Amino acid sequence: MVSQLSEAMLDVIADALVEKGYVVLTDLVPAHISQVLLEKVQSTQSHELKAASIGRGAEQQLNPDIRRDRIQWLEEHNEPDAQYLDLMTQLKNGLNRRLFMGLFDYESHYAVYQSGAFYKKHVDALKGSQNRILTTVFFLNPYWKEADCGELIIYDEQDNELERIAPKMGHFVIFLSERFPHEVRPTLAQRNSIAGWFRVSNSVHGF
């Protein structure tokens, strides 16, 4: 059975993006999908994850002083990836209907932060590049404690802290990629998430 995002949920997300540019949700992804995604992460062997890089294209490089997570890209032909990607397609279509954003495709990867790992403050898209338009983060940590740290911190364009989000199981964050610097604070326990980006197919969008 394919899970469906409700029109009411899509309205909430669209309104939040217009009003403040980001939203934190606790019930976007059904629990049964969250569970199978968690099980996949837990069963993934360390050699199947690769060190995450920074930059894109020819400028891509490893820099453990900036970023220390390990990743594995989601694939449409694999389960349970396909269930999550189907929800993201529904989200893309719902936002395009409401906000005329011209979102075209979506890329995402599992991100595993071992104890001590972090990702320093950065922005997911350069101003005006219109490559990545919306960033999503979905957390897969069922027994997270405050003492485990590893929060996602979202800043405004003047570097003021807007939101400090504990990476608790089922929490889903979406924000405008160009607008919000953010970081992952050093974690004291293994921290699992899925990071993703909606992109446009050309340089014009209507949001």
Side-chain angles (χ1 to χ4, degrees):
M1 180 178 177
V2 177
S3 297
Q4 298 291 326
L5 297 183
S6 71
E7 295 299 313
M9 175 67 76
L10 291 167
D11 287 343
V12 167
I13 296 170
D15 289 347
L17 291 176
V18 170
E19 291 170 8
K20 61 180 185 178
Y22 73 93
V23 63
V24 182
L25 304 162
T26 59
D27 54 356
L28 181 78
V29 180
H32 70 278
I33 296 179
S34 301
Q35 184 60 36
V36 292
L37 292 167
L38 172 63
E39 290 170 1
K40 178 172 181 178
V41 172
Q42 292 175 331
S43 65
T44 299
Q45 302 299 311
S46 59
H47 70 270
E48 298 177 272
L49 300 166
K50 67 175 185 176
S53 59
I54 60 172
R56 295 179 69 82
E59 298 181 356
Q60 198 170 65
Q61 60 177 303
L62 298 176
N63 189 332
D65 292 330
I66 294 177
R67 181 179 188 181
R68 294 189 182 178
D69 57 318
R70 299 183 66 82
I71 67 170
Q72 182 184 71
W73 291 93
L74 276 70
E75 299 178 331
E76 291 182 352
H77 61 273
N78 286 339
E79 291 288 351
D81 298 5
Q83 297 181 60
Y84 183 79
L85 293 172
D86 180 75
L87 287 174
M88 295 303 101
T89 296
Q90 294 178 47
L91 178 57
K92 170 178 69 79
N93 294 340
L95 292 178
N96 281 342
R97 289 196 303 270
R98 289 162 173 79
L99 302 178
F100 307 102
M101 297 184 75
L103 303 177
F104 180 73
D105 65 0
Y106 180 75
E107 59 180 359
S108 59
H109 61 62
Y110 296 94
V112 177
Y113 291 76
Q114 298 294 347
S115 181
F118 56 84
Y119 193 166
K120 290 189 176 178
K121 188 190 300 181
H122 62 285
V123 177
D124 284 344
L126 297 176
K127 281 287 188 182
S129 68
Q130 299 197 340
N131 179 23
R132 292 173 168 176
I133 301 299
L134 283 177
T135 296
T136 66
V137 185
F138 180 55
F139 296 118
L140 296 167
N141 305 292
Y143 305 111
W144 202 260
K145 305 183 297 293
E146 184 177 353
D148 294 330
C149 302
E151 302 94 342
L152 171 67
I153 304 179
I154 297 176
Y155 298 89
D156 65 17
E157 294 170 291
Q158 289 74 46
D159 281 340
N160 300 305
E161 184 177 318
L162 291 175
E163 197 93 22
R164 184 175 289 246
I165 305 154
K168 295 180 179 180
M169 184 77 175
H171 285 198
F172 184 92
V173 187
I174 181 168
F175 57 88
L176 297 173
S177 302
E178 292 184 356
R179 184 168 156 189
F180 296 102
H182 53 284
E183 69 174 312
V184 175
R185 297 294 297 158
T187 181
L188 299 181
Q190 180 171 316
R191 176 191 188 276
N192 307 311
S193 63
I194 298 175
W197 302 270
F198 289 103
R199 301 186 298 182
V200 293
S201 60
N202 54 50
S203 60
V204 177
H205 67 91
F207 182 70

